[in-house]
Coordinates of all heavy atoms in Angstrom, one line a residue:
P250 N 20.1 8.0 17.2 CA 19.8 8.8 18.4 C 18.3 9.2 18.4 O 17.7 9.3 19.4 CB 20.8 9.9 18.3 CG 21.9 9.4 17.5 CD 21.3 8.5 16.5
G251 N 17.8 9.6 17.2 CA 16.4 10.0 17.1 C 15.5 8.9 17.5 O 14.5 9.1 18.2
A252 N 15.8 7.7 17.0 CA 14.9 6.5 17.3 C 15.0 6.3 18.8 O 14.0 5.9 19.4 CB 15.4 5.3 16.6
R253 N 16.2 6.4 19.4 CA 16.3 6.2 20.9 C 15.5 7.2 21.7 O 15.0 6.9 22.8 CB 17.8 6.2 21.3 CG 18.5 5.0 20.9 CD 19.9 5.0 21.5 NE 20.8 4.1 20.7 CZ 21.6 4.5 19.8 NH1 21.8 5.8 19.5 NH2 22.4 3.6 19.1
R254 N 15.3 8.4 21.2 CA 14.5 9.4 21.9 C 13.0 9.1 21.8 O 12.3 9.5 22.7 CB 14.8 10.8 21.3 CG 16.2 11.4 21.8 CD 16.3 12.8 21.4 NE 16.2 13.1 20.0 CZ 17.3 13.0 19.2 NH1 18.5 12.7 19.6 NH2 17.1 13.3 17.9
V255 N 12.5 8.6 20.7 CA 11.1 8.4 20.5 C 10.5 7.0 20.8 O 9.3 6.9 20.9 CB 10.6 9.0 19.2 CG1 11.0 10.4 19.0 CG2 11.2 8.1 18.0
L256 N 11.4 6.0 20.8 CA 10.9 4.6 20.9 C 11.3 4.1 22.3 O 12.4 4.5 22.9 CB 11.5 3.7 19.9 CG 11.2 4.1 18.4 CD1 12.0 3.2 17.5 CD2 9.7 3.9 18.2
T257 N 10.5 3.3 22.9 CA 10.8 2.6 24.1 C 11.8 1.5 23.9 O 12.0 1.1 22.8 CB 9.5 2.0 24.7 OG1 9.1 0.9 23.9 CG2 8.4 3.0 24.9
R258 N 12.4 1.1 25.0 CA 13.4 0.0 24.9 C 12.8 -1.2 24.2 O 13.4 -1.9 23.4 CB 13.9 -0.3 26.3 CG 15.0 -1.4 26.3 CD 15.5 -1.6 27.7 NE 16.5 -2.7 27.8 CZ 17.8 -2.5 27.5 NH1 18.3 -1.3 27.1 NH2 18.6 -3.5 27.6
E259 N 11.5 -1.5 24.6 CA 10.8 -2.7 24.1 C 10.6 -2.5 22.6 O 10.8 -3.5 21.8 CB 9.5 -2.9 24.8 CG 8.7 -4.1 24.4 CD 7.4 -4.2 25.2 OE1 7.5 -4.7 26.3 OE2 6.4 -3.8 24.7
E260 N 10.2 -1.3 22.2 CA 10.0 -1.1 20.7 C 11.3 -1.2 19.9 O 11.3 -1.8 18.8 CB 9.4 0.3 20.5 CG 8.0 0.4 21.0 CD 7.5 1.9 21.0 OE1 8.2 2.8 21.3 OE2 6.3 2.1 20.6
L261 N 12.4 -0.7 20.5 CA 13.7 -0.9 19.9 C 14.1 -2.3 19.7 O 14.6 -2.7 18.7 CB 14.8 -0.1 20.6 CG 14.7 1.4 20.5 CD1 15.6 2.1 21.5 CD2 15.0 1.9 19.1
Q262 N 13.9 -3.1 20.8 CA 14.2 -4.5 20.7 C 13.3 -5.2 19.7 O 13.8 -6.1 18.9 CB 14.0 -5.2 22.1 CG 15.1 -4.7 23.0 CD 14.9 -5.2 24.5 OE1 13.8 -5.6 24.9 NE2 16.0 -5.3 25.2
E263 N 12.1 -4.9 19.6 CA 11.2 -5.5 18.6 C 11.6 -5.1 17.2 O 11.6 -6.0 16.3 CB 9.7 -4.9 18.9 CG 8.6 -5.7 18.3 CD 7.3 -5.2 18.7 OE1 7.0 -5.3 19.9 OE2 6.5 -4.7 17.8
L264 N 12.0 -3.9 17.0 CA 12.4 -3.4 15.7 C 13.7 -4.2 15.3 O 13.9 -4.6 14.2 CB 12.7 -1.9 15.7 CG 13.2 -1.3 14.5 CD1 12.2 -1.5 13.3 CD2 13.4 0.2 14.7
G265 N 14.6 -4.3 16.3 CA 15.9 -5.0 16.0 C 15.6 -6.5 15.6 O 16.2 -7.0 14.7
A266 N 14.7 -7.1 16.3 CA 14.3 -8.5 16.0 C 13.7 -8.6 14.6 O 14.1 -9.5 13.8 CB 13.4 -9.1 17.0
R267 N 12.9 -7.7 14.2 CA 12.3 -7.6 12.9 C 13.4 -7.4 11.8 O 13.4 -8.1 10.8 CB 11.2 -6.6 12.8 CG 10.5 -6.5 11.5 CD 9.7 -7.7 11.2 NE 9.0 -7.5 9.9 CZ 9.0 -8.5 9.0 NH1 9.5 -9.7 9.2 NH2 8.4 -8.2 7.8
M268 N 14.3 -6.5 12.1 CA 15.4 -6.3 11.1 C 16.3 -7.5 10.9 O 16.6 -7.8 9.8 CB 16.2 -5.1 11.6 CG 15.4 -3.8 11.5 SD 16.3 -2.4 12.1 CE 17.5 -2.1 10.9
R269 N 16.6 -8.2 12.0 CA 17.3 -9.5 11.9 C 16.6 -10.5 11.1 O 17.2 -11.2 10.3 CB 17.7 -10.0 13.3 CG 18.8 -9.2 14.0 CD 19.2 -9.9 15.3 NE 18.2 -10.0 16.3 CZ 17.9 -9.0 17.1 NH1 18.5 -7.8 17.1 NH2 16.9 -9.1 18.0
E270 N 15.3 -10.6 11.3 CA 14.5 -11.6 10.5 C 14.5 -11.2 9.0 O 14.7 -12.1 8.1 CB 13.1 -11.6 11.0 CG 12.2 -12.5 10.2 CD 12.6 -14.0 10.1 OE1 13.3 -14.5 11.0 OE2 12.3 -14.6 9.0
L271 N 14.3 -9.9 8.7 CA 14.4 -9.5 7.3 C 15.7 -9.8 6.7 O 15.8 -10.2 5.5 CB 14.0 -8.0 7.2 CG 12.5 -7.7 7.5 CD1 12.3 -6.2 7.5 CD2 11.6 -8.3 6.4
K272 N 16.8 -9.5 7.4 CA 18.1 -9.8 6.9 C 18.3 -11.3 6.7 O 18.9 -11.7 5.7 CB 19.2 -9.3 7.9 CG 20.6 -9.3 7.4 CD 21.5 -8.6 8.4 CE 22.9 -8.6 7.9 NZ 23.8 -8.0 8.8
A273 N 17.8 -12.1 7.5 CA 17.9 -13.6 7.4 C 17.1 -14.0 6.1 O 17.6 -14.9 5.4 CB 17.4 -14.3 8.6
Q274 N 16.0 -13.5 5.9 CA 15.2 -13.8 4.8 C 15.9 -13.4 3.5 O 15.9 -14.2 2.5 CB 13.8 -13.1 4.8 CG 12.9 -13.6 5.8 CD 11.6 -12.8 5.9 OE1 11.3 -11.9 5.0 NE2 10.8 -13.1 6.9
E275 N 16.5 -12.2 3.5 CA 17.3 -11.8 2.3 C 18.4 -12.7 2.0 O 18.7 -13.0 0.9 CB 17.8 -10.3 2.5 CG 18.5 -9.7 1.4 CD 17.7 -9.5 0.2 OE1 16.4 -9.3 0.3 OE2 18.3 -9.4 -0.9

């Protein structure tokens, strides 16, 4: 909820894409 308050939708989507990539690398 804190992240949703301070990040834009675009930033959240970018962060999600980066997390998916890191998970795939792992």
Side-chain angles (χ1 to χ4, degrees):
R253 285 186 201 101
R254 282 191 299 275
V255 298
L256 299 174
T257 66
R258 181 176 179 85
E259 186 177 277
E260 289 171 322
L261 289 169
Q262 289 175 337
E263 197 174 297
L264 181 58
R267 180 69 180 131
M268 291 174 74
R269 284 188 296 278
E270 176 57 31
L271 289 171
K272 189 174 181 179
Q274 287 175 12
E275 182 68 23

